Amino acid sequence: MIPPSFIQDLLARTDIVEVVGRYVTLKKAGINFKGLCPFHGEKSPSFIVSPSRQTYHCFGCGVHGNAVGFLMENTGLGFVEAVKDLAQIQGMPVPDDDSKPEDREKAKAQKEKQTSLTDVMAKATQHWRQQLKSTPRAVAYLKARGLTGEIAARFGMGYAPDNWRGLASVYPKYDDPLLVEAGLVITPDDGETRADGEAKRYDRFRDRIMFPIRNPQGEVIGFGGRVLDKGEPKYLNSPETPVFIKGRELYGLYEGRSALRTKGYALVTEGYMDVVALAQWGFGNAVATLGTACSAEHVQKLFRFTEQVVFSFDGDGAGRRAAGRALEAALPFASDTRRISFLFLPAEHDPDSYIREFGPEAFEACVQQAVPLSRQLLEHAKGDCNLDTAEGRARLLAQALPLIGQLPDGALRGQIADELAAMARTAPEEVRRRLTTQAEPKSKGAPGGQRARGDDQGQPWDDGGYASVSHGDESSYGSGQDEQFGGYGNHGDGGQQPRRGGGKREWKKPWDGNSRWQRKGSPVFDRRPLPQAARPLDRIVWLMVARSDFWEQVPATAHDILCEQPAVYGHFFRWLDRLVHDQGALASQELIDRMRHATLGDDDTHRESAESDPGFSALAERITNFHDVLTGQESLNDLLGLIKPLELQALNDELELLTQSGELSDAAEARKMELIRQSLALKLEISRMRPTSAP
């Protein structure tokens, strides 16, 4: 675990100009430096590095961040690896974590094994690339498929000769166990030996075009081999190893990172040749699963690079079945801000053959006409249903509701539920009721802390899911966690919480189904305001804890702004992003408990690591001490209204950075005018959102 204090100290000692300058040619431009952006193709410089801010920003594609972020984006390193790389440059030892010595030794041995395996496979890659250059038959095959030498080199393609022990000349010891563990060499299980007494072993890949499979860091972790002529199997993949798990990796993801940004979407195909052929025709954003169905881990990994995914399948029965599996894998990640669609080509075509016959414009038109997830879900559910009969419509409901139930809460889920109601000829309220009933066993972790339970008098919880509480004077802060966040539990006093300091004010929630708070003896108000004494970021955290389901509904630009906030706030929002992404929305009480015992530990992305952070527990205490209570009617607009001033500040910072950088490209000048326009529009929007004083 790397302490946040160390990372802050590391960034303070780092000169971002020096770090970026290792990869980008920079020239002085006013008080900043400029160069050609490494993340998208451009002819005029729009990429600015600011020594005073210690940040980089591209006015062409919008990427920005600090030195650690640049290393992650440009080299594919995980967070921990980027921090260690930067620390090595600065000569700063990274603090040891607090794990057990045996765990550290185990992790070290595992890392060494992974390095050894990737080194072994890198040698095989280089050998096979050389073999391709000297094998006219293999080169002729690739040319016949429409591939150039440039695209073959970009993907590191090679040729494994038709030789049982072709790799024996590559490694000092052909009997090295690492060759077997890496999946390059096969040893018969029966222990058969050769005439000279040596164990009989042979190359796994022979007479095949070789496709190296790289992880996001660019390391070769496996191979796919395709026969040149007729033969079985047509494609042969590496077996799973400590560095290669088929259900997690995507072919072409490393090579397509830049194209994913410029195209704006990922195109998921079923074969290596599809990926390479599409890249040849300008679709470098294509990736492929590795002989397995698309998994949730595949989808999750793709959404780290883009907000839009298009699944491409053949139009035959097998393609439809594959689309169904991809649909189910994608449902938990289909938030309102993401776009998922399904492209079905004619049964006689795959992406490779289609684009070669009809050209890139026709293929792009197919992509634009891809079936959206909402329609595909309902088509998938009604496949064997006769909607002219009551039985068929009932079957449709039975098959569609579990699929819709996997979607995150939001507008998309509601829209699909309404479309299902129309298809099944039933009331939308009935469909939504059945969705709610279906989710009740999981209601403990539902957004907003909702629970399917009653109070002590047997009264049902209403839509807000918050119990009655009583509070002291507004100057006094409540003591109990339940008191501050709506009381997630039953109390023997009929829902009344003990008051602190002998306060005289009592707040009750009427059971009128309107989810509003009422001061005893006073009229019912629509909504009590958020605590104005709190800092804006505290209030945003407060709303996010109360309604973590809002996180997936916040635009991606707002995500970036929140996650880049300083100190504990940025850490909190990045932590929340991973938590909601992995587990979905959580109840407020559970989030508060996790904040009080939070450890920002290593995850699969290695994006961030820190020791147990006292800042989290302090933040939890601060927001739970607000004397205002949640109404149950907090809306997404409340949250966006708090974020907009932060967006305005980000626009002003970018505008200031641009004006300080001297003469730039036409794209940068256009961006300057756009920033001015956006700033004025946002100022007007913020002024309209400000509440007017009551008479």
Side-chain angles (χ1 to χ4, degrees):
M1 307 294 181
I2 305 176
S5 56
F6 173 80
I7 298 171
Q8 293 169 6
D9 188 25
L10 175 62
L11 290 173
R13 299 188 188 189
T14 297
D15 180 4
I16 192 170
V17 176
E18 178 185 344
V19 174
V20 176
R22 294 161 59 190
Y23 305 93
V24 179
T25 301
L26 298 174
K27 294 182 179 180
K28 187 74 170 165
I31 65 173
N32 299 317
F33 290 81
K34 66 181 179 181
L36 297 177
C37 179
F39 304 114
H40 81 288
E42 63 176 4
K43 297 181 180 179
S44 300
S46 298
F47 185 76
I48 304 300
V49 180
S50 171
S52 59
R53 300 174 187 271
Q54 285 295 300
T55 60
Y56 66 91
H57 184 91
C58 178
F59 293 98
C61 66
V63 297
H64 58 279
N66 58 22
V68 173
F70 180 84
L71 288 177
M72 293 172 65
E73 288 286 335
N74 193 62
T75 65
L77 293 173
F79 179 82
V80 174
E81 287 78 8
V83 170
K84 291 181 177 179
D85 191 25
L86 204 58
Q88 186 176 18
I89 295 173
Q90 299 301 321
M92 297 174 61
V94 179
D96 291 334
D97 58 36
D98 55 359
S99 58
K100 297 178 180 178
E102 55 268 28
D103 291 338
R104 289 200 296 271
E105 287 299 320
K106 183 178 179 181
K108 181 180 178 181
Q110 183 179 14
K111 180 65 176 177
E112 291 175 350
K113 171 59 71 67
Q114 292 173 345
T115 301
S116 299
L117 288 173
T118 54
D119 286 346
V120 163
M121 285 186 271
K123 287 184 179 180
T125 302
Q126 187 61 33
H127 170 70
W128 286 329
R129 290 184 67 177
Q130 294 298 324
Q131 293 297 314
L132 175 63
K133 295 177 182 179
S134 58
T135 308
R137 172 170 159 265
V139 172
Y141 172 83
L142 294 179
K143 287 183 176 181
R145 298 296 298 261
L147 301 181
T148 64
E150 180 183 358
I151 206 71
R154 175 181 165 189
F155 283 87
M157 296 170 64
Y159 170 70
D162 190 8
N163 188 328
W164 285 91
R165 294 169 65 89
L167 292 176
S169 62
V170 179
Y171 302 97
K173 294 183 178 180
Y174 189 66
D175 59 353
D176 188 339
L178 277 176
L179 299 182
V180 176
E181 191 169 1
L184 298 174
V185 170
I186 296 176
T187 300
D189 294 333
D190 57 10
E192 184 180 354
T193 60
R194 302 193 315 171
D196 56 7
E198 183 181 347
K200 188 173 183 180
R201 56 179 64 212
Y202 53 90
D203 293 0
R204 179 181 299 272
F205 300 101
R206 304 178 305 281
D207 195 24
R208 290 178 179 269
I209 297 293
M210 299 303 298
F211 298 85
I213 302 165
R214 296 183 172 111
N215 62 19
Q217 289 74 48
E219 299 169 323
V220 177
I221 56 176
F223 296 94
R226 192 197 190 285
V227 294
L228 273 72
D229 303 313
K230 294 181 180 180
E232 293 295 335
K234 180 193 290 187
Y235 283 98
L236 179 65
N237 296 319
S238 292
E240 294 199 347
T241 69
V243 296
F244 178 51
I245 299 176
K246 296 177 184 178
R248 295 180 183 175
E249 305 300 335
L250 289 159
Y251 177 71
L253 183 59
Y254 171 76
E255 293 83 359
R257 290 174 303 159
S258 177
L260 286 173
R261 298 188 186 97
T262 55
K263 282 283 191 179
Y265 67 93
L267 181 63
V268 183
T269 66
E270 296 183 89
Y272 305 104
M273 193 58 74
D274 290 330
V275 172
V276 178
L278 287 170
Q280 177 75 62
W281 288 89
F283 291 85
N285 55 323
V287 298
T289 54
L290 301 171
T292 64
C294 185
S295 68
E297 288 187 84
H298 288 141
V299 179
Q300 184 179 21
K301 181 171 288 190
L302 285 171
F303 278 127
R304 293 174 186 159
F305 292 86
T306 182
E307 289 294 288
Q308 182 178 352
V309 175
V310 179
F311 293 100
S312 175
F313 299 100
D314 299 343
D316 56 12
R320 294 282 173 178
R321 290 190 294 274
R325 292 190 290 269
L327 169 71
E328 296 186 16
L331 287 175
F333 308 99
S335 67
D336 293 346
T337 59
R338 290 170 175 164
R339 192 172 159 196
I340 300 170
S341 51
F342 297 80
L343 167 62
F344 295 100
L345 296 172
E348 66 274 14
H349 281 293
D350 56 25
D352 175 22
S353 64
Y354 189 93
I355 201 167
R356 280 193 287 133
E357 181 170 344
F358 299 104
E361 293 80 10
F363 186 80
E364 179 66 38
C366 290
V367 172
Q368 297 304 319
Q369 296 169 11
V371 179
L373 177 139
S374 56
R375 195 193 315 164
Q376 179 62 23
L377 186 153
L378 295 176
E379 289 293 325
H380 180 66
K382 77 170 187 179
D384 56 352
C385 302
N386 181 359
L387 300 186
D388 292 330
T389 66
E391 292 83 356
R393 294 191 292 273
R395 184 180 181 88
L396 169 64
L397 286 170
Q399 294 179 168
L401 285 171
L403 297 175
I404 299 175
Q406 295 181 52
L407 291 166
D409 285 336
L412 178 62
R413 175 172 167 152
Q415 291 286 333
I416 298 177
D418 291 346
E419 289 187 21
L420 173 62
M423 290 177 62
R425 302 182 196 175
T426 189
E429 294 78 10
E430 172 64 13
V431 172
R432 292 174 184 260
R433 183 194 66 78
R434 292 183 63 173
L435 276 174
T436 302
T437 303
Q438 176 181 278
E440 278 182 355
K442 298 183 289 185
S443 60
K444 183 177 180 180
Q450 298 174 8
R451 289 194 179 200
R453 57 184 295 184
D455 71 352
D456 289 352
Q457 282 75 35
Q459 296 165 307
W461 294 81
D462 75 350
D463 293 340
Y466 302 103
S468 301
V469 298
S470 60
H471 285 267
D473 291 336
E474 291 190 4
S475 60
S476 300
Y477 293 154
S479 58
Q481 179 59 43
D482 288 346
E483 184 177 1
Q484 305 307 323
F485 282 85
Y488 297 98
N490 294 331
H491 309 286
D493 57 358
Q496 300 295 315
Q497 293 279 339
R499 295 193 297 273
R500 185 178 180 183
K504 298 179 181 179
R505 294 189 179 180
E506 187 177 39
W507 294 87
K508 275 192 173 183
K509 185 176 184 184
W511 301 107
D512 60 0
N514 292 326
S515 301
R516 297 179 298 182
W517 287 92
Q518 179 184 22
R519 184 177 175 182
K520 189 175 181 180
S522 300
V524 176
F525 297 100
D526 283 342
R527 186 179 298 128
R528 281 179 54 79
L530 285 169
Q532 297 302 315
R535 286 173 286 186
L537 281 169
D538 287 330
R539 295 160 65 202
I540 293 172
V541 172
W542 190 50
L543 271 175
M544 283 297 190
V545 169
R547 292 293 305 273
S548 58
D549 57 312
F550 282 166
W551 181 257
E552 292 287 358
Q553 303 177 52
V554 171
T557 53
H559 279 177
D560 293 340
I561 290 172
L562 292 175
C563 290
E564 290 168 3
Q565 293 302 309
V568 67
Y569 297 106
H571 285 300
F572 169 78
F573 292 121
R574 291 191 291 271
W575 172 77
L576 180 67
D577 179 59
R578 289 199 301 275
L579 199 62
V580 172
H581 193 276
D582 293 342
Q583 302 181 30
L586 300 174
S588 305
Q589 183 64 58
E590 183 175 355
L591 273 175
I592 289 293
D593 290 342
R594 291 195 181 202
M595 288 174 69
R596 286 173 169 157
H597 305 90
T599 298
L600 299 181
D602 265 331
D603 62 7
D604 290 340
T605 63
H606 298 294
R607 278 190 251 177
E608 203 157 340
S609 180
E611 288 181 343
S612 183
D613 185 1
F616 265 39
S617 58
L619 181 61
E621 291 305 312
R622 187 157 63 249
I623 66 171
T624 55
N625 280 337
F626 292 161
H627 58 269
D628 294 72
V629 293
L630 294 171
T631 69
Q633 289 185 338
E634 289 72 26
S635 70
L636 182 61
N637 286 336
D638 293 332
L639 178 61
L640 295 178
L642 292 170
I643 296 174
K644 288 188 184 299
L646 300 178
E647 293 178 332
L648 180 60
Q649 182 60 51
L651 288 176
N652 290 336
D653 288 346
E654 188 178 344
L655 183 59
E656 180 184 353
L657 180 65
L658 186 58
T659 56
Q660 293 174 346
S661 300
E663 183 179 355
L664 291 172
S665 64
D666 292 341
E669 289 297 329
R671 177 60 177 166
K672 178 179 179 180
M673 299 306 298
E674 177 65 15
L675 286 172
I676 294 174
R677 186 193 66 78
Q678 289 183 11
S679 297
L680 292 174
L682 195 52
K683 286 179 182 177
L684 180 60
E685 188 176 354
I686 291 172
S687 66
R688 288 174 176 171
M689 295 178 66
R690 287 174 181 159
T692 57
S693 300

